[in-house]
Amino acid sequence: MQNKGFVRFFAISLALVCLFYLSFTFVTNYWDKQAKEIAQGDSQKYYEYLEEISGEEKWLGFTLKECHEKEINLGLDLKGGMNVTLEVSVPDILRALSGYNTSEIFNQALANAKVRQATSGTAFLTLFQEEFEKLDPNAKLSTVFSTYELKERVKINSSNADVMSVLEEEVNSAIDNSFNVLRSRIDRFGVVQPNIQRLDVQGRILVELPGIKEPERVRKLLQGSANLEFWETYDAAELTGVLSQANDILRDLNKAKQSDTTTTAKVEVKPEVPAKPTNELDSLAASLKKDSTTTNEATEERLAEFKKNNPLFGVLNIYQGRRGPAVGAVLSSDTAKVNAMLNMKQVKEILPRDLSLKWTVKPIDEKAKQLAFELVAIKVSNRDGRAPLEGDVVTDANTDFDQFTNAATVNMKMNAEGAKTWARLTKENIGKSIAIVLDGYVYSYPTVNTEITGGSSQISGRFTNDEAKDLANVLKSGKMPAPARIIQEDVVGPSLGQEAIHSGLISFVIAFVITLHDFLLWRYSWTNCGCHIVIKCIFLIWRISLFPSCIDIARYCGYRINYGYGGRCERTYLRTYSRRIKSW
């Protein structure tokens, strides 16, 4: 074979690439085992430990988070976990879009369409239109959906086709908002390799959460309504003195605890061992190593001393001389510590009563080795503790580009009630920031430049196109008329998957030994068939490792059958070839 050398080079190169990508799976498995040993059955500690080390380099310059993104994904039937199908109710969305119209024809059409959908795969909107026109062929949808929120898109003389086009966009937008809210919540839940995707049936979303052992917690997380709020904020400079007092209080409390706890250290006296004679080079190398070690130890001691004297500022990096509501930055692994410190009774007594501290939803730098989040100072101005403005007043939000800078911006519209409150809120906070909060996390805190009247606003900043789209979706999620409801759920145990993996490994080893035996017995003809099987397996592993996919039992069995069938064909070919050689 003329290209034999090239084929060998290609096969060896491909095998090395496969081993490289497979190595990420072995690395993540190792650290998962370490996390389980440390957690000792506590799922919260398990996820907290993985989150803490996710930004650390663990393999060939890759962080653990990057290794998880490159590892082979196992389906729920192999790994175990929770499988949930959620549904965003399209009828509820239509009722909200109609302003909860009480028209008998409208409500009867909704009821009839729901009955038909139970036995039909047709989209609900199509069924609704058919039932609406069946009840009254002359009825117009515009009389139902010409509400204040849709007045610019649905006129009283709009045709049914035009109204249906608008409803299709609104329903899809509501489903997209639900999808984005669910994805954000799942990301914060700490699940490794979650899978969330839209199903063919309109309004249904599939969520797969591997390794989940708390179904009730997942149900509450997924079914909660989106809570969008607009809050007034403090300027961080206003809180510098208060936070310094909190730091001093925490230091005094730590000293009091240390004084109450007395420990006795036992000193073990070891006999002196005479030093071995060393030459001049050895002495110089030892001296340099000692100096380096001493420097590192001194740095660590100074850092430990600083954290001891400054419990709060040791983990909270305060912003100095920076305007805005962001107090400082904290590593993701230290956010729980900061929460615990700020929630202590002695600390809460000195903090302003109208102060609420919330974390940003996104890290400062998503590519950083150690993720850090900002702590934002919210001002609670209402006596009932509620936000002065909530997301139900937002009628629309979309992305645009600034005509002068060409930077991405977000345009937001509010209803009449929201426009009045928004005008007052912006007038009272010119030069300050308004925080946009969803589900308790800050998504943005734009600065108010002037009073905004009329309910139309433009939010600008250093947004990328994707960030602007995310913010627009967040603003629209506040008017989500129907929360997602669980219509089906399954908690899958990994025992079946473990048996499949174990038996598959045994069968693979047996097949590989048989192939190796055939190679040694008929090594001259092995190249024609056995090499084909090996290269095929390499291609298979390469595809699984390189391209993101999820392996379930069906695929796993398919891979086993593929290899076993190939091995059987190879043995049959070699036996036939051997008989022909003997007959010659």
Side-chain angles (χ1 to χ4, degrees):
M1 189 168 63
Q2 295 179 354
N3 296 324
K4 194 172 183 179
F6 172 76
V7 172
R8 287 179 177 173
F9 172 77
F10 179 75
I12 293 172
S13 301
L14 194 58
L16 293 176
V17 172
C18 291
L19 290 175
F20 170 73
Y21 280 99
L22 279 175
S23 65
F24 293 106
T25 301
F26 293 111
V27 171
T28 54
N29 287 342
Y30 171 78
W31 286 107
D32 284 346
K33 289 180 181 177
Q34 294 292 319
K36 289 178 181 177
E37 291 178 1
I38 293 174
Q40 294 182 350
D42 189 334
S43 59
Q44 185 173 354
K45 287 184 179 179
Y46 169 78
Y47 291 121
E48 286 178 355
Y49 178 75
L50 288 180
E51 180 67 24
E52 182 179 347
I53 64 175
S54 63
E56 300 177 7
E57 292 185 0
K58 296 299 183 183
W59 178 246
L60 301 177
F62 291 92
T63 63
L64 184 61
K65 182 180 179 181
E66 293 171 331
C67 290
H68 274 297
E69 292 172 355
K70 295 179 182 295
E71 72 171 330
I72 296 176
N73 297 335
L74 296 181
L76 293 184
D77 46 6
L78 290 175
K79 192 173 183 178
M82 193 170 182
N83 183 316
V84 179
T85 301
L86 299 110
E87 182 178 54
V88 180
S89 177
V90 178
D92 289 346
I93 296 175
L94 293 179
R95 286 193 183 94
L97 291 174
S98 71
Y100 298 95
N101 195 296
T102 57
S103 167
E104 184 177 350
I105 296 177
F106 170 66
N107 287 284
Q108 186 62 46
L110 286 178
N112 294 347
K114 287 182 70 173
V115 173
R116 286 185 58 188
Q117 191 187 36
T119 57
S120 172
T122 308
F124 183 85
L125 275 177
T126 304
L127 297 176
F128 165 73
Q129 183 182 10
E130 292 175 359
E131 290 298 325
F132 186 85
E133 294 175 349
K134 186 188 298 183
L135 290 171
D136 187 352
N138 298 319
K140 299 190 68 175
L141 287 169
S142 58
T143 59
V144 177
F145 293 100
S146 57
T147 59
Y148 180 82
E149 286 77 10
L150 298 177
K151 65 180 180 180
E152 295 181 2
R153 303 174 66 188
V154 178
K155 308 297 182 182
I156 195 65
N157 59 348
S158 297
S159 66
N160 285 357
D162 293 337
V163 176
M164 287 302 298
S165 178
V166 173
L167 295 179
E168 184 77 29
E169 292 180 12
E170 290 295 322
V171 168
N172 289 335
S173 176
I175 295 171
D176 289 342
N177 293 339
S178 300
F179 183 85
N180 292 328
V181 170
L182 290 172
R183 182 174 59 186
S184 177
R185 291 177 179 178
I186 291 169
D187 288 342
R188 293 200 302 268
F189 192 73
V191 181
V192 179
Q193 294 179 331
N195 176 39
I196 174 170
Q197 61 186 27
R198 296 178 178 87
L199 298 179
D200 293 334
V201 179
Q202 190 177 39
R204 292 192 179 180
I205 300 171
L206 173 66
V207 178
E208 292 182 338
L209 304 174
I212 285 296
K213 299 178 181 178
E214 301 167 297
E216 188 59 36
R217 185 183 171 198
V218 172
R219 294 186 193 102
K220 292 179 181 179
L221 175 80
L222 298 180
Q223 293 187 120
S225 300
N227 186 21
L228 177 67
E229 301 166 323
F230 297 86
W231 291 92
E232 297 178 79
T233 62
Y234 272 96
D235 193 282
E238 301 177 60
L239 302 174
T240 303
V242 176
L243 292 176
S244 296
Q245 293 179 33
N247 184 67
D248 295 339
I249 290 174
L250 291 168
R251 182 185 60 226
D252 295 340
L253 289 174
N254 288 344
K255 286 183 179 180
K257 288 181 180 179
Q258 290 175 0
S259 62
D260 292 341
T261 306
T262 56
T263 57
T264 305
K266 296 182 179 180
V267 180
E268 182 180 354
V269 180
K270 296 184 179 180
E272 295 185 1
V273 179
K276 296 181 180 179
T278 57
N279 56 33
E280 187 175 349
L281 290 176
D282 291 340
S283 299
L284 179 60
S287 177
L288 292 173
K289 184 176 181 181
K290 183 178 180 181
D291 291 342
S292 176
T293 305
T294 303
T295 303
N296 293 335
E297 290 178 352
T299 303
E300 291 178 359
E301 288 178 0
R302 286 197 296 270
L303 181 61
E305 186 67 20
F306 177 80
K307 289 185 175 182
K308 181 179 178 181
N309 295 326
N310 300 275
L312 180 59
F313 294 157
V315 289
L316 174 61
N317 182 21
I318 296 291
Y319 290 150
Q320 299 290 343
R322 176 176 166 180
R323 294 191 61 186
V327 174
V330 180
L331 294 177
S332 60
S333 56
D334 293 329
T335 53
K337 295 179 184 177
V338 174
N339 288 337
M341 292 179 189
L342 297 177
N343 285 324
M344 292 181 67
K345 181 181 178 181
Q346 297 88 334
V347 174
K348 292 181 73 173
E349 287 176 351
I350 66 166
L351 294 177
R353 292 186 177 182
D354 60 351
L355 173 65
S356 175
L357 295 168
K358 298 184 184 295
W359 299 103
T360 55
V361 69
K362 288 187 177 181
I364 299 171
D365 183 2
E366 294 183 354
K367 298 181 179 179
K369 294 180 180 178
Q370 289 186 303
L371 301 180
F373 295 84
E374 288 184 320
L375 191 62
V376 180
I378 303 295
K379 181 182 287 187
V380 183
S381 54
N382 289 342
R383 292 183 178 180
D384 58 4
R386 296 178 61 186
L389 194 62
E390 297 184 347
D392 56 349
V393 301
V394 177
T395 59
D396 192 21
N398 54 71
T399 58
D400 200 355
F401 293 93
D402 190 282
Q403 58 181 347
F404 299 108
T405 63
N406 203 33
T409 60
V410 178
N411 295 328
M412 177 179 64
K413 293 182 180 180
M414 296 183 178
N415 59 25
E417 180 185 354
K420 292 180 182 179
T421 307
W422 185 240
R424 177 186 60 79
L425 200 61
T426 53
K427 182 179 180 180
E428 295 174 354
N429 290 275
I430 295 176
K432 295 184 178 181
S433 298
I434 299 292
I436 301 172
V437 180
L438 178 66
D439 288 345
Y441 288 84
V442 179
Y443 277 74
S444 180
Y445 45 87
T447 302
V448 180
N449 296 321
T450 183
E451 179 185 359
I452 302 173
T453 58
S456 296
S457 311
Q458 185 183 75
I459 303 173
S460 60
R462 297 178 181 177
F463 298 132
T464 64
N465 292 343
D466 291 338
E467 288 173 342
K469 289 178 182 177
D470 290 343
L471 181 56
N473 286 330
V474 166
L475 293 170
K476 286 191 288 187
S477 67
K479 63 166 189 144
M480 187 170 65
R485 292 193 293 263
I486 295 177
I487 59 173
Q488 182 181 354
E489 67 172 75
D490 295 302
V491 179
V492 183
S495 57
L496 179 61
Q498 291 294 336
E499 294 176 5
I501 293 173
H502 181 69
S503 60
L505 182 62
I506 294 175
S507 63
F508 179 84
V509 171
I510 294 174
F512 183 79
V513 170
I514 293 173
T515 304
L516 183 63
H517 168 266
D518 292 342
F519 166 65
L520 296 175
L521 189 61
W522 297 296
R523 57 185 178 276
Y524 296 108
S525 60
W526 181 85
T527 307
N528 297 324
C529 189
C531 185
H532 166 72
I533 297 173
V534 173
I535 292 177
K536 188 176 182 180
C537 289
I538 291 175
F539 264 110
L540 185 62
I541 297 173
W542 172 73
R543 190 195 70 78
I544 295 171
S545 306
L546 187 58
F547 298 101
S549 60
C550 184
I551 302 177
D552 52 19
I553 284 184
R555 291 186 183 181
Y556 188 76
C557 293
Y559 298 149
R560 289 171 55 188
I561 293 171
N562 195 345
Y563 186 85
Y565 183 75
R568 182 171 182 179
C569 291
E570 179 247 350
R571 286 178 60 82
T572 304
Y573 172 80
L574 293 177
R575 285 176 179 173
T576 305
Y577 186 80
S578 176
R579 291 194 191 101
R580 288 183 179 179
I581 292 176
K582 291 179 180 179
S583 65
W584 290 346

